[in-house]
Amino acid sequence: MSYTKVIPGLVRANSDNIKRICLSQGRFRSTVTSKQRKEVEGGKKEQQLVECTVVKAVQVDLISQTKNNTDAQTRKIAIDFDNTHEAYKSKDNIELLRSLLVFKLCTFDFLVDKNKELMDLSKKVFGKWLFERLMKMTFYGQFVAGEDHNSIKPLIHKNQAFGVGSVLDYSVEEDLTQEEAEKKEMDSCVSEAEKESPGVDRREKKYKAHRQFGDRRGGVVSARTYFYADEAKCDAQMETFLNCIKASGGASVDGFSAVKMTALGRPQFLLQFSEVLVKWRRFFNLLAAQQGKSGMDALEQKLELEQLKESLAKLGVGNKDDIENWFTGEKLGSSGTIDLLDWNSLINDRTKISNLLVIPNVETGQLEPLLRKFTVEEEKQMKRMLQRVDVLAKHAVDNGVRLMVDAEQTYFQPAISRLTLEMQRIFNREKPIIFNTYQCYLKEAYDNVSVDVELSRREGWYFGAKLVRGAYMYQERSRAKEIGYEDPINPDYEATNRMYHKCLEFVLEEIDHNRKANVMVASHNEDTVKFTLEKMNEMGLSPTEKKVYFGQLLGMCDQISFPLGQAGFPVYKYVPYGPVNEVIPYLSRRALENRGFMKGSQRERSLLWKELKRRLLNGQILYKPVY
């Protein structure tokens, strides 16, 4: 399949003028209304969740999926996250002891800081076989499901029996030195034109590779990292993802499989396309400011069409006829205004992918290429990345699996989100197959969510989102400060919490308004889960509709996952798998992440002890899960 089918939402145009794409325009749910509703609800006293074994039934109205005023009844559900019997009924006593041991070890700074060195030393001292046995009894057994797609099936089936699904994630990474990682990054993120004439092209420093941040693993504890070697390596990684999708389809019903865009092609294209997207959006913001509409939410900025044409003419961006052609079409500008979605559709799809990479230059009044030239091989590399994405999406459809596209660094993310959006436009017509990931520690998270939801509504496809707080905060902050651009991260944890809840509430309101939206609340934060349950109860969103999912990592926060699953909510564990020696980088990060998690809260350990003591007092020394 050609790349033009992967990105059909981009406008077809020749090198001299741009023609716009028709966006089917539906009813727009104002973000202003959403904010007013939030302010009213914010004044209400927080509803207390009733503690019970699993659920409490209360009669409330449910808005039907067809919105046809048909009365329906559902149960108002509250979950008791202190009920250890329900939380750990899928675990035997050995598993509880293992969790206690691993979480305790994660609180010792020396062990965590030197975990990689200690694991390497253990391998030499004990030998491969004994080392693997020790790892399966501790860290590997806690956080990894098994070595291959066959060995993980028993765990997946057991979790399913207790109401918990799986997001399969093949977690093998190259064990590169920092120097090797930096070299691969610089080789793969710098184009031939930049190598020949550094500094000639009009590139922004945020979207250029910098050797001191070439090792993208630095400051990241919860995300896999891929480095480009060659096209054959990308094909091999695509095959790995295909096997993961196949395994997910064979092991569970309605499963997910996780993929990363940086594994599927040369990251140079992601950097360059991201820069183009950001510059076009920035140009829109400049034009909005000229019309006195700065400081508004993204979708509230609607430019008056005639004023816009005059502004573009004065800036010299295209001649009068070209400007007129840009805004002629069945829908675009028919209301006399242009919003950000209309503007995004002007980014055009030409014969070569490199011709996508053009930006408006206010100084010269011309549309200019981001780089002076691209080699034939660079063109092919761009096309192959899009083709691999297309293959994975089709394979997911064929296997009844949903594809979760992970978020990455902000200098890659605009391109990743745009490519994921194009997959959603193709494959989410009948049901949600493709899910995008939104990192809510970003200042622009709400704008990104609201714009994409509005596009899905206009075009009539199923919106799918996973909301996370984010995995790259320390790295992003350090890079922005040292290189010299605005920090993209919210100022503190509380601001991130507010952003997460704001994005979540917006998507929940969209589900309430239009049952085509879907969201995964991927969080270990108990307050966020309770917030979601409260909003679902208020809106009459039943868990059986399977519009709101919950997600946690394997081996963590079982006191959240399993009570939710047993109460009928669609809840999923991120399930890593891979050979012991090849997932050591992943295990190393889990230890680092758990140090902060376990030091910040004793809750999970105290619940594990509570359940273990309960079993011993009840004579359940040899407790075995029944399913």
Side-chain angles (χ1 to χ4, degrees):
M1 182 175 184
S2 70
Y3 76 93
T4 55
K5 292 183 181 179
V6 179
I7 46 176
L10 304 180
V11 181
R12 310 240 187 275
N14 57 36
S15 59
D16 297 318
N17 61 71
I18 303 175
K19 297 179 182 178
R20 61 141 335 258
I21 186 170
C22 296
L23 290 175
S24 56
Q25 194 162 4
R27 185 166 71 87
F28 171 55
R29 173 169 58 83
S30 172
T31 53
V32 174
T33 303
S34 301
K35 287 190 291 184
Q36 289 172 344
R37 175 175 176 177
K38 184 172 182 179
E39 288 169 2
V40 171
E41 292 177 346
K44 294 179 181 179
K45 187 175 180 180
E46 183 177 349
Q47 178 183 350
Q48 298 297 315
L49 295 177
V50 180
E51 292 192 358
C52 59
T53 302
V54 181
V55 301
K56 177 183 178 182
V58 180
Q59 295 293 324
V60 296
D61 289 334
L62 171 67
I63 300 171
S64 71
Q65 293 185 31
T66 56
K67 296 284 185 180
N68 59 4
N69 296 323
T70 301
D71 291 332
Q73 299 295 319
T74 189
R75 292 187 300 169
K76 187 173 183 180
I77 297 180
I79 308 295
D80 181 6
F81 295 115
D82 291 316
N83 189 320
T84 60
H85 175 64
E86 297 296 338
Y88 302 116
K89 68 192 302 183
S90 67
K91 313 289 183 187
D92 62 32
N93 290 345
I94 297 298
E95 290 175 294
L96 296 186
L97 288 169
R98 181 186 65 199
S99 297
L100 283 165
L101 173 64
V102 169
F103 291 152
K104 183 62 178 177
L105 291 174
C106 288
T107 65
F108 294 109
D109 289 338
F110 173 77
L111 294 178
V112 173
D113 291 336
K114 301 294 182 182
N115 75 84
K116 182 69 164 55
E117 293 87 341
L118 290 171
M119 283 191 279
D120 290 341
L121 177 62
S122 299
K123 195 188 307 182
K124 291 178 182 178
V125 171
F126 297 116
K128 182 176 181 292
W129 183 86
L130 187 55
F131 170 75
E132 290 186 358
R133 293 299 302 168
L134 288 171
M135 292 303 295
K136 287 180 179 180
M137 292 169 61
T138 53
F139 286 93
Y140 182 93
Q142 182 71 19
F143 300 120
V144 183
E147 300 207 38
D148 55 42
H149 64 272
N150 287 317
S151 63
I152 67 177
K153 286 182 179 179
L155 176 63
I156 291 173
H157 291 153
K158 181 174 78 167
N159 284 352
Q160 265 192 327
F162 291 95
V164 177
S166 299
V167 181
L168 295 195
D169 187 9
Y170 190 70
S171 296
V172 170
E173 296 179 21
E174 286 183 282
D175 194 7
L176 301 173
T177 66
Q178 181 177 337
E179 184 178 356
E180 289 170 335
E182 289 174 355
K183 184 179 187 307
K184 285 194 172 187
E185 186 75 349
M186 297 307 294
D187 288 344
S188 62
C189 287
V190 181
S191 69
E192 290 303 315
E194 290 175 294
K195 291 175 183 176
E196 293 173 6
S197 306
V200 172
D201 293 299
R202 301 173 60 86
R203 298 293 309 283
E204 287 193 15
K205 48 192 172 185
K206 177 176 180 178
Y207 299 99
K208 296 180 71 172
H210 299 269
R211 184 170 292 277
Q212 65 268 43
F213 293 96
D215 186 353
R216 287 181 276 114
R217 299 168 300 183
V220 177
V221 296
S222 60
R224 290 164 298 142
T225 304
Y226 292 92
F227 293 94
Y228 180 84
D230 51 39
E231 292 298 294
K233 183 69 178 291
C234 292
D235 286 335
Q237 286 167 171
M238 182 186 72
E239 287 298 322
T240 296
F241 288 144
L242 290 173
N243 291 333
C244 190
I245 291 169
K246 185 177 180 180
S248 182
S252 62
V253 179
D254 291 332
F256 285 89
S257 186
V259 300
K260 271 188 178 291
M261 287 285 188
T262 49
L264 299 174
R266 187 180 175 116
Q268 171 195 328
F269 173 52
L270 296 176
L271 277 174
Q272 292 163 347
F273 193 28
S274 290
E275 184 171 356
V276 167
L277 291 166
V278 167
K279 285 185 172 179
W280 273 93
R281 185 160 176 171
R282 195 180 297 156
F283 188 44
F284 177 86
N285 292 335
L286 171 67
L287 296 168
Q290 290 179 356
Q291 294 193 16
K293 297 181 180 180
S294 59
M296 302 170 68
D297 284 336
L299 284 174
E300 298 299 325
Q301 293 179 321
K302 296 189 177 183
L303 308 187
E304 299 300 325
L305 183 57
E306 292 308 315
Q307 291 183 45
L308 175 60
K309 290 178 181 178
E310 291 177 10
S311 296
L312 291 172
K314 287 178 181 177
L315 289 170
V317 181
N319 60 48
K320 187 175 180 180
D321 290 337
D322 285 341
I323 294 170
E324 194 67 35
N325 286 333
W326 293 354
F327 302 109
T328 56
E330 184 182 347
K331 295 290 183 183
L332 183 60
S334 60
S335 64
T337 62
I338 297 290
D339 67 12
L340 184 59
L341 286 176
D342 298 324
W343 183 259
N344 285 344
S345 72
L346 297 176
I347 300 174
N348 53 311
D349 170 17
R350 305 183 184 182
T351 305
K352 292 184 176 182
I353 298 181
S354 60
N355 288 333
L356 280 170
L357 305 179
V358 293
I359 55 174
N361 185 337
V362 177
E363 295 176 7
T364 64
Q366 300 296 319
L367 292 177
E368 299 179 349
L370 188 67
L371 295 174
R372 290 183 300 108
K373 64 178 181 179
F374 290 86
T375 66
V376 173
E377 180 57 28
E378 286 171 341
E379 282 280 347
K380 290 180 180 177
Q381 289 167 351
M382 294 178 197
K383 286 186 179 182
R384 290 188 199 117
M385 173 182 274
L386 301 178
Q387 289 165 347
R388 292 182 189 109
V389 170
D390 185 57
V391 168
L392 290 175
K394 285 181 174 178
H395 205 69
V397 173
D398 292 342
N399 284 270
V401 174
R402 287 160 295 185
L403 211 57
M404 191 80 75
V405 181
D406 285 342
E408 304 193 44
Q409 287 87 349
T410 54
Y411 42 91
F412 293 137
Q413 192 57 44
I416 292 171
S417 289
R418 182 62 182 256
L419 295 176
T420 305
L421 192 72
E422 299 305 334
M423 284 199 293
Q424 289 180 316
R425 299 170 93 171
I426 299 171
F427 297 102
N428 285 13
R429 288 289 170 183
E430 302 298 327
K431 59 183 179 179
I433 297 292
I434 311 298
F435 280 64
N436 197 8
T437 301
Y438 298 87
Q439 299 191 101
C440 294
Y441 66 13
L442 297 178
K443 296 173 182 176
E444 62 179 19
Y446 179 77
D447 280 350
N448 293 337
V449 170
S450 60
V451 167
D452 291 352
V453 165
E454 172 63 10
L455 181 62
S456 72
R457 187 187 305 116
R458 290 187 186 184
E459 296 185 339
W461 43 267
Y462 285 79
F463 176 78
K466 179 179 73 170
L467 298 182
V468 299
R469 280 173 170 77
Y472 305 96
M473 182 178 72
Y474 299 111
Q475 182 188 99
E476 293 273 15
R477 280 224 163 104
S478 177
R479 189 178 190 268
K481 182 177 180 180
E482 186 166 336
I483 295 174
Y485 57 87
E486 183 184 354
D487 185 353
I489 309 296
N490 286 317
D492 53 42
Y493 185 74
E494 284 308 311
T496 293
N497 277 345
R498 290 192 296 272
M499 179 64 78
Y500 193 104
H501 288 184
K502 183 179 181 181
C503 293
L504 174 57
E505 189 170 11
F506 183 85
V507 180
L508 290 174
E509 287 179 351
E510 176 63 15
I511 296 171
D512 188 27
H513 168 73
N514 173 9
R515 286 309 206 261
K516 285 192 170 184
N518 300 262
V519 64
M520 175 175 279
V521 183
S523 176
H524 296 141
N525 188 306
E526 199 170 296
D527 290 336
T528 293
V529 174
K530 289 179 178 178
F531 173 86
T532 309
L533 296 177
E534 182 181 343
K535 292 299 176 186
M536 290 180 69
N537 282 332
E538 289 175 7
M539 296 176 177
L541 294 177
S542 167
T544 59
E545 292 186 63
K546 295 187 177 181
K547 297 296 182 183
V548 181
Y549 313 87
F550 295 88
Q552 290 83 39
L553 290 167
L554 183 71
M556 293 176 65
C557 291
D558 288 342
Q559 80 277 9
I560 292 177
S561 308
F562 285 89
L564 283 170
Q566 290 163 60
F569 287 86
V571 58
Y572 292 82
K573 287 288 193 183
Y574 246 71
V575 177
Y577 69 99
V580 176
N581 284 290
E582 295 180 49
V583 298
I584 284 178
Y586 175 85
L587 292 173
S588 178
R589 290 199 311 273
R590 282 278 71 79
L592 288 165
E593 184 174 34
N594 272 299
R595 169 171 56 186
F597 181 79
M598 296 313 299
K599 279 192 170 183
S601 172
Q602 299 293 321
R603 177 165 171 72
E604 189 155 6
R605 276 191 291 160
S606 67
L607 290 173
L608 286 162
W609 274 120
K610 179 182 174 182
E611 175 60 13
L612 195 57
K613 285 186 280 188
R614 187 196 67 79
R615 290 182 185 179
L616 294 176
L617 290 173
N618 284 279
Q620 296 177 309
I621 298 174
L622 301 177
Y623 174 84
K624 291 290 183 183
V626 178
Y627 60 97

